[in-house]
Amino acid sequence: MMLEPAQCAGDAPRTAPEQGTPEESSSAVTPGTPRTAYPTTDPEQATRLPAPAPDARRRSERDQWLRRRRLERQLHDGAALRISALTLQLGLFRHRVPDAEPDLHASIESLQDELHAVLQELRDVAGKIYPPLLDEAGLGPALREAADRIETPLRIDAPADRFGPAAEGAAYFAIIECLAAIDAAACEPVTQKPGAQEPEAHETATGPVEVLVRRDTDEQDGGVLAVELTGVDVRHAEPMLDQVRRLGGTIDVAGGPGSGTITARIPCE
Amino acid sequence: MRVALAEDGALFREGLLMLLQAAGHEVVGCTADGDALVELLASQPADVAILDIRMPPEPDGGLVTAERLRAAHPDMGLLFLSHYAESHYLMRILRIGTDSIGYRLKEKVGSVDVLTDTLDRIGSGEIVIEPVLAKRLVERPRGDKKGVVATLSERELDVLRLMAEGRSNNGIAAQLFVTPKAVEKHIANIFGKLNLHADTAEHHRRVLAVLTYLRSQRDGD
């Protein structure tokens, strides 16, 4: 569900749904229909285009991640910068308005506050397209920053290595979606033990989720980005699979449904 | 104040230049990248250098430029402006220096008063931290620190937030309309509750102690 903002933010939308669907059985209709609809009037004669080879599918999935990263940069260098510059111009304007106009001063200030709110929303969207910190500093810093917004306590162990924008993007959103699912599940039942009274007691009961990022070497490829989540309900692995399989990745689960380990492996380019 | 600035976005650079001039500051240099600024400041004195974080020579060229400027001109203040206020960058900035240094959101310096206040504080040696970020650090305590921060009174939380912004006792007192003496008392209580050593009398060491405390709850860097 985190993917949606990217699909409505720019040039991604037309291709993104097509990327997702070919996996399913109904998929081949989607790419085939628009092209063949015009030359022939007989629906019987529609030619179904062959499904792309796995390699081609993976390549276009990587392109999607590059496109998402470009979109984030475009927001930063374009709209965001313009709006920031606008706040400076308003500041200059306010400075030129005589002090005898306090109402005007207040109006200009509230306009500036409004622009700050607009920028906060843009930052939020940018973070869902491709977190700038992920682009600039990698999985470790991006996950630590995201830990701020997640209730479940995390322990993150990530190397400074980089794994490429596609593998990092898929891993990041897979982890975030899994943690969001854990957060949501933790909010639902209030089946606290009788002894627990503090909110933190709940967390100690859950225990921190350990996030371990490492590079698994693979002989054929450049390497595999492996992410291990320990201390999680393995039922939350399902949404992660969607993220990683499009890049040819895999998910392994171990341990019981209560507290187990989810390991995602994503080949790097 | 003599100010130099480097920012690769022309629109923002021009806007900032005009606002600085309107505020009565002398802009001694205005460049589109960090290397040009370093070169310019080799011969031109300035009190504070204003740097965009995400600009050439590298993806985060502002930080590299700042390291070079701090080495060449230890007394020159540094103000980082960015579209993002992230604790990751705050920690990297504080590794470059812990005095006469600041980190603010680009859209939050859009007034003569705020800009001048920010520059004055940096000029007088303070750390200036974007209030939006300071607030986030104080309001989102995690793990075992959550319980401790929850024991602070509302007033103590206000003081903690202003401390995390890098404000001095007098600065905090002015913001909260109380006496510096009252602020000292609140700070002593906060340090007691957070179990921090009270011997960090020196302003920037105290700010660092607070930031490290708030930061350490996030397991890792």
Side-chain angles (χ1 to χ4, degrees), chain B residues 48-196:
Chain B
V48 177
I50 302 178
L51 305 160
D52 180 17
I53 291 183
R54 212 175 180 183
M55 70 169 174
E58 279 169 47
D60 45 18
L63 297 170
V64 184
T65 305
E67 279 167 3
R68 295 171 64 192
L69 288 177
R70 188 55 41 130
H73 319 279
D75 295 331
M76 189 186 291
L78 299 168
L79 169 59
F80 295 88
L81 294 182
S82 175
H83 175 51
Y84 292 103
E86 314 247 37
S87 55
H88 171 75
Y89 285 115
L90 176 60
M91 293 304 136
R92 287 194 62 186
I93 286 166
L94 293 179
R95 253 175 259 145
I96 295 169
T98 54
D99 50 2
S100 299
I101 205 154
Y103 177 27
R104 297 220 56 178
L105 277 175
K106 282 183 175 176
E107 80 264 24
K108 283 292 187 180
V109 293
S111 96
V112 164
D113 294 346
V114 171
L115 195 54
T116 297
D117 174 63
T118 301
L119 290 171
D120 283 349
R121 285 170 60 199
I122 292 172
S124 63
E126 286 187 30
I127 304 176
V128 178
I129 293 162
E130 175 54 49
V132 173
L133 176 58
K135 190 161 173 276
R136 201 191 309 151
L137 290 174
V138 171
E139 284 180 359
R140 288 189 189 152
R142 297 190 55 83
D144 57 330
K145 307 289 167 74
K146 196 182 230 167
V148 182
V149 173
T151 65
L152 299 180
S153 71
E154 206 163 305
R155 191 27 71 95
E156 284 165 356
L157 272 178
D158 288 339
V159 173
L160 181 64
R161 182 171 47 77
L162 290 168
M163 257 203 286
E165 287 179 17
R167 292 195 182 268
S168 63
N169 286 13
N170 287 342
I172 296 171
Q175 290 278 314
L176 298 178
F177 303 103
V178 297
T179 62
K181 201 112 199 114
V183 171
E184 273 173 41
K185 226 179 131 223
H186 287 308
I187 290 176
N189 286 342
I190 294 168
F191 272 56
K193 288 183 183 174
L194 303 192
N195 222 349
L196 290 172

Side-chain angles (χ1 to χ4, degrees), chain A residues 19-263:
Chain A
Q19 294 306 323
T21 40
E23 311 264 333
E24 314 303 332
S25 53
S26 64
S27 63
V29 182
T30 321
T33 322
R35 280 169 202 249
T36 45
Y38 296 107
T40 168
T41 47
D42 184 1
E44 303 279 316
Q45 289 189 331
T47 317
R48 176 170 290 184
L49 296 183
D55 264 8
R57 219 185 284 163
R58 234 174 270 177
R59 214 177 312 118
S60 74
E61 181 62 20
R62 278 179 193 157
D63 289 346
Q64 288 296 333
W65 285 107
L66 293 176
R67 180 172 294 164
R68 286 172 72 146
R69 195 177 62 163
R70 274 202 306 278
L71 280 175
E72 183 279 320
R73 288 180 182 173
Q74 194 182 336
L75 269 184
H76 174 272
D77 298 339
L81 196 70
R82 270 178 195 280
I83 297 170
S84 297
L86 210 52
T87 64
L88 296 177
Q89 285 169 23
L90 281 172
L92 197 61
F93 183 51
R94 183 188 182 279
H95 184 66
R96 286 175 183 159
V97 170
D99 285 341
E101 302 274 8
D103 287 357
L104 211 45
H105 280 210
S107 304
I108 294 171
E109 277 168 29
S110 73
L111 272 179
Q112 288 181 317
D113 289 345
E114 195 56 35
L115 290 179
H116 168 63
V118 170
L119 286 170
Q120 291 286 55
E121 286 180 19
L122 280 184
R123 282 186 270 266
D124 188 43
V125 170
K128 287 170 182 168
I129 297 174
Y130 202 95
L133 204 53
L134 181 62
D135 180 14
E136 283 162 35
L139 275 168
L143 288 171
R144 284 185 197 103
E145 203 77 29
D148 260 356
R149 295 182 284 273
I150 290 165
E151 287 303 318
T152 309
L154 301 179
R155 186 160 298 135
I156 294 153
D157 183 359
D161 301 28
R162 300 305 299 266
F163 303 91
E168 288 181 352
Y172 176 86
F173 284 101
I175 296 167
I176 294 300
E177 280 179 24
C178 176
L179 294 170
I182 294 170
D183 266 9
C187 285
E188 279 167 12
V190 197
T191 48
Q192 280 290 303
K193 281 173 192 149
Q197 71 280 72
E198 289 289 300
E200 59 194 319
H202 179 81
E203 274 165 21
T204 9
T206 322
V209 170
E210 311 239 355
V211 182
L212 173 68
V213 177
R214 62 167 196 272
R215 185 187 296 277
D216 277 359
T217 40
D218 187 282
E219 281 147 36
Q220 308 141 343
D221 254 307
V224 170
L225 162 59
V227 177
E228 207 172 281
L229 301 181
T230 311
V232 293
D233 189 332
V234 297
R235 283 172 296 184
H236 298 307
E238 203 61 33
M240 296 180 74
L241 186 56
D242 276 349
Q243 287 289 358
V244 306
R245 71 173 174 186
R246 280 180 251 141
L247 285 170
T250 57
I251 301 270
D252 292 289
V253 297
S259 177
T261 300
I262 303 173
T263 308

